[in-house]
Amino acid sequence: MTQQQDTRTIIIGAGMAGILAAIKLLEQGKTNFCVYEKADRIGGTWRDNTYPGLTCDVPSHSYTYSFEPNPNWTRTMPPGAEIQAYFENVVEKYGLAPYLCFGEEVTRLDFIDGRWQLQTISGRRDEADFVVAATGVLHHPRLPNINGMERFKGELFHSARWDHSVPLDGKRIAVVGTGSTGVQIVSALASRASYLCHYQRSPQWIMPVINTPFSEEERAAWRRDPALLKRLQHDPELEANIERFSVAITEPDSEAMQQIEMIVQQNLEQSVRDPALREKLRPNYRAACKRLIYADTFYEAVQRDNVEVAIEDVTQIEETGIRSPDGELREFDIIVLATGFQADRFMRPMTITGRNGNTLENAWAQRPTAYMAVSIPDFPNLFMLNGPNGPVGNFSLIEIAEQQWHYIQQLMDKVEQGECREICASETALAQFDEARIAAAKRSIFGSGCQSWYLDAQGVPATWPWSRSHFKACMQRPDFSAYEQH
Ligand code: NA7
């Protein structure tokens, strides 16, 4: 293999990370690639989620590709539809359409004779030197197995499968779950429902936020002056806040964490007027143990007269509603399951077979893991964007994916420059990385005693456990001694 043109890359997923990979390849003059996407349009999580109130919990100018600032964001925390539109514009601007293969769910990947062989559900086949798995984290809805769910005569759906044909105004609505999704839905629907019950198995700490609208004058100024917009993307105050947050979650005893705890406690004390409701809403674990929720109108919403909060696990659904453990039946027209995602799936359910017949199921038998969050031993030339063990704590996943791409690119260069044909992390490197990662993860706030989607099947936080700046430093240049090169 000599020059870049000789290599072919398969990108899986046309969400934020897959779009990024495609743009980066084109930037290098590479056109021999295809983005396989199982749905019929781009957008990933922003395509799948369309629920009322959908908002990104990362500020808009940070949740933006560094190379494609957006002067048109309308608020500090952008609504989902605006983010979807942003990605669609980017895809058009960069001319990605010819590289997108929609309706092609990848079902198999086999590493044979130094190349990846791909098969899709429609029977399409392809072959490439590299695979970039950009399959997303929050993709497969978690549907709880609640007794009697199938007997419900009203409308019932998962938050990521919103049925927009169902009228909401004046209806009796149950929202099950109090992650970011449940909180946003309740905030949006409280004033529209005739009665809304929010089922919270575990109440959440709420970080107050002001979702400021940007004025047309501001947006016009950003359009006129790209330097102004660039500065906004790298706003030192915002950067300092993110760094403080990064310190807080990795050092639970830090002053930064104490400050977060103080703010969320004050928010609860000052925002919830009825002492009984306040106690109901008080979590019994530390702030940010679960992904911290940023919300502006949630506490107001749950204090409305037509809104009730039920602190319980939903275990019994009947024809007309939800039966509580104490026997009370609440009747509903609509039940929304905001019950989260199977965050440990990543590329699965694809069947992936690497070197020596090793399957991904086998490699991940204990837990999904990857050296530096991008490479798995025995799976050469296959790299992940936003794979397991990457930073996910209220950071911009776009920023993370860009840093990961910078790193992955250097691994691909080794092959393209003819230094090797296959490259992947060594078993030893992954084992050492995992040992250190797991030890640090247990000490992070995510390991401080709560249930959350950050935890793996063994109850260990699956996230990057060190600081955001350390991640950035690691992504600058691979330590090639951690890689097997053939
Ligand atoms: P999350 O954050 O995983 O939240 C799921 C919620 O669903 C959580 O409150 C669960 O309670 C609750 N849940 C699950 N099953 C039940 C039953 N049977 N009864 C009551 N409650 C239940 O998912 P989201 O979609 O809100 O957010 C995911 C991420 O998307 C979010 O962090 C942002 O990054 C964007 P539990 O806490 O387990 O007691």
Side-chain angles (χ1 to χ4, degrees), residues 138 177-181 201-202 290-291 313-314 338-341 453:
L138 303 168
T178 186
S180 289
T181 305
R201 189 163 62 187
S202 347
K290 291 170 190 277
R291 185 185 173 99
D313 191 359
V314 174
T339 45
F341 299 86
W453 66 267

Side-chain angles (χ1 to χ4, degrees), residues 346-409:
F346 299 100
M347 296 97 93
R348 297 176 287 184
M350 265 175 244
T351 303
I352 307 184
T353 309
R355 231 164 25 197
N356 311 319
N358 196 3
T359 61
L360 189 70
E361 275 311 313
N362 178 51
W364 283 0
Q366 198 183 4
R367 54 165 59 92
T369 189
Y371 176 71
M372 287 289 156
V374 303
S375 174
I376 315 165
D378 271 346
F379 295 79
N381 305 357
L382 181 152
F383 310 111
M384 284 174 287
L385 289 173
N386 291 316
N389 317 144
V392 287
N394 294 81
F395 303 119
S396 167
L397 282 188
I398 299 188
E399 179 189 64
I400 304 299
E402 286 192 18
Q403 289 166 7
Q404 289 177 326
W405 179 265
H406 177 74
Y407 179 97
I408 289 169
Q409 185 53 65

Side-chain angles (χ1 to χ4, degrees), residues 47-266:
R47 173 200 61 224
D48 292 347
N49 285 279
T50 57
Y51 61 78
L54 172 65
T55 310
C56 185
D57 60 5
V58 173
S60 43
H61 290 285
S62 300
Y63 197 78
T64 306
Y65 295 120
S66 61
F67 51 86
E68 198 50 47
N70 179 13
N72 299 318
W73 293 125
T74 59
R75 319 184 71 88
T76 329
M77 311 295 240
E82 222 174 277
I83 299 171
Q84 175 69 17
Y86 168 74
F87 288 126
E88 281 169 5
N89 288 336
V90 169
V91 164
E92 198 182 321
K93 177 170 172 186
Y94 286 80
L96 299 188
Y99 304 96
L100 298 168
C101 313
F102 290 116
E104 294 285 7
E105 179 175 349
V106 177
T107 51
R108 275 198 84 91
L109 281 171
D110 297 282
F111 193 69
I112 300 171
D113 295 334
R115 297 195 96 202
W116 284 102
Q117 312 283 333
L118 166 146
Q119 247 184 71
T120 70
I121 208 160
S122 71
R124 180 169 167 162
R125 287 167 186 271
D126 198 348
E127 188 177 324
D129 305 282
F130 300 112
V131 171
V132 175
T135 49
V137 190
L138 303 168
H139 180 55
H140 299 283
R142 183 191 299 280
L143 279 173
N145 189 12
I146 303 172
N147 259 339
M149 208 154 79
E150 66 297 337
R151 296 213 308 274
F152 183 59
K153 291 267 191 271
E155 306 289 347
L156 181 149
F157 43 81
H158 187 271
S159 52
R161 299 287 180 270
W162 199 271
D163 183 347
H164 288 278
S165 69
V166 175
L168 304 166
D169 294 304
K171 301 293 178 192
R172 298 164 303 171
I173 305 174
V175 177
V176 182
T178 186
S180 289
T181 305
V183 164
Q184 292 181 355
I185 293 173
V186 167
S187 305
L189 294 189
S191 60
R192 295 179 61 186
S194 61
Y195 164 68
L196 187 149
C197 184
H198 191 192
Y199 287 88
Q200 305 193 6
R201 189 163 62 187
S202 347
Q204 289 263 22
W205 290 110
I206 307 289
M207 177 62 84
V209 67
I210 301 170
N211 193 1
T212 322
F214 298 132
S215 68
E216 186 40 52
E217 288 73 33
E218 282 175 297
R219 283 180 281 157
W222 297 331
R223 276 192 288 269
R224 274 196 309 272
D225 185 356
L228 205 63
L229 197 54
K230 251 307 176 254
R231 277 206 293 281
L232 208 63
Q233 272 188 299
H234 304 285
D235 174 18
E237 196 185 318
L238 185 65
E239 277 292 310
N241 276 341
I242 301 173
E243 276 309 318
R244 252 199 310 278
F245 184 77
S246 167
V247 169
I249 57 178
T250 49
E251 297 170 30
D253 297 327
S254 60
E255 210 183 305
M257 181 49 80
Q258 285 164 14
Q259 211 171 6
I260 290 178
E261 286 174 329
M262 192 192 71
I263 297 171
V264 295
Q265 276 163 17
Q266 260 179 14

Side-chain angles (χ1 to χ4, degrees), residues 371 374-375 407 411 423-426 478-485:
Y371 176 71
V374 303
S375 174
Y407 179 97
L411 300 175
I423 186 163
C424 63
S426 70
D479 168 5
F480 288 107
S481 69
Y483 283 86
E484 273 179 14
Q485 301 174 44

Side-chain angles (χ1 to χ4, degrees), residues 25 28 30 405-413 416:
L25 287 177
Q28 297 166 348
K30 296 179 190 169
W405 179 265
H406 177 74
Y407 179 97
I408 289 169
Q409 185 53 65
Q410 296 172 68
L411 300 175
M412 291 166 93
D413 284 350
E416 286 176 335

